[in-house]
Amino acid sequence: MAEFFTEFRNDHRFVLRTLVDLRKAVEARDFASARQLLEALDNAAGPHMEFEERYLYPSLIPLLGEERVKTLISDHQGAAEMLFKAKQVLSKETLTDEDVEFLQEFVRAFLQHASDCEGTALLAEALPQEQIEQFGEQLVALRSTGKPLTVYKGVAAG
């Protein structure tokens, strides 16, 4: 059985490490590494955010309210769009100072989202144990069937 809180927080840790490495790669102008890190981020974030939208967030409506849950889901769309733009920027032959600034801002914004998202794990502790156990299985299952974030949210072709 997959332990939900371990799985969920490990996803956040992966995102954090990837974003820190991405920031370092951008600062070092190692754009090949930055491209690889963005791909890894896209692939990991898709199943995670799909899980949140399909299972976790709806269960939190009684605690957060429907409007807050809609905002969380909307934040995912914005994250996917920024990720797609970051990938487009890194696909260029040469990057301008503005491109580098955009990538740095992307890292900061995505870090903020990951930090905010970690709070939903705390809220999930208030849910019934049976539901939490199902969450672990659902999250692991989506990792094997899920799509990259940019594809899942419809900003890139699959």
Side-chain angles (χ1 to χ4, degrees):
M1 174 176 68
E3 206 286 311
F4 168 66
F5 293 108
T6 300
E7 297 290 336
F8 194 70
R9 288 189 170 119
N10 282 343
D11 281 357
H12 292 159
R13 286 182 186 98
F14 175 81
V15 168
L16 171 67
R17 283 191 308 274
T18 301
L19 289 167
V20 168
D21 291 346
L22 177 60
R23 181 181 56 82
K24 290 176 185 175
V26 169
E27 286 175 0
R29 303 296 200 261
D30 181 357
F31 301 127
S33 292
R35 281 189 286 280
Q36 291 175 337
L37 290 162
L38 272 183
E39 283 302 319
L41 180 63
D42 196 9
N43 289 329
H48 182 86
M49 290 186 183
E50 182 178 358
F51 162 78
E52 289 173 332
E53 291 179 14
R54 288 177 62 186
Y55 303 109
L56 180 61
Y57 292 169
S59 73
L60 296 176
I61 289 173
L63 295 170
L64 296 175
E66 200 166 323
E67 286 308 309
R68 178 63 181 139
V69 166
K70 285 180 183 176
T71 299
L72 290 169
I73 292 170
S74 175
D75 289 348
H76 286 177
Q77 186 67 36
E81 290 167 3
M82 280 189 71
L83 179 57
F84 183 72
K85 183 174 179 187
K87 290 171 79 171
Q88 287 181 312
V89 165
L90 280 168
S91 72
K92 294 171 24 176
E93 184 115 355
T94 56
L95 275 67
T96 66
D97 288 342
E98 284 113 7
D99 292 333
V100 171
E101 286 177 33
F102 169 80
L103 293 169
Q104 292 169 333
E105 180 55 33
F106 164 79
V107 169
R108 283 190 289 275
F110 216 102
L111 276 170
Q112 182 63 54
H113 176 78
S115 173
D116 292 348
C117 183
E118 182 63 20
T120 59
L122 183 61
L123 292 169
E125 291 178 12
L127 299 172
Q129 185 60 37
E130 306 80 44
Q131 191 171 25
I132 292 169
E133 289 171 11
Q134 285 179 339
F135 283 167
E137 302 303 321
Q138 291 161 333
L139 180 56
V140 169
L142 277 172
R143 285 191 194 129
S144 63
T145 61
K147 300 173 183 149
L149 179 62
T150 53
V151 174
Y152 166 65
K153 296 305 285 181
V155 296

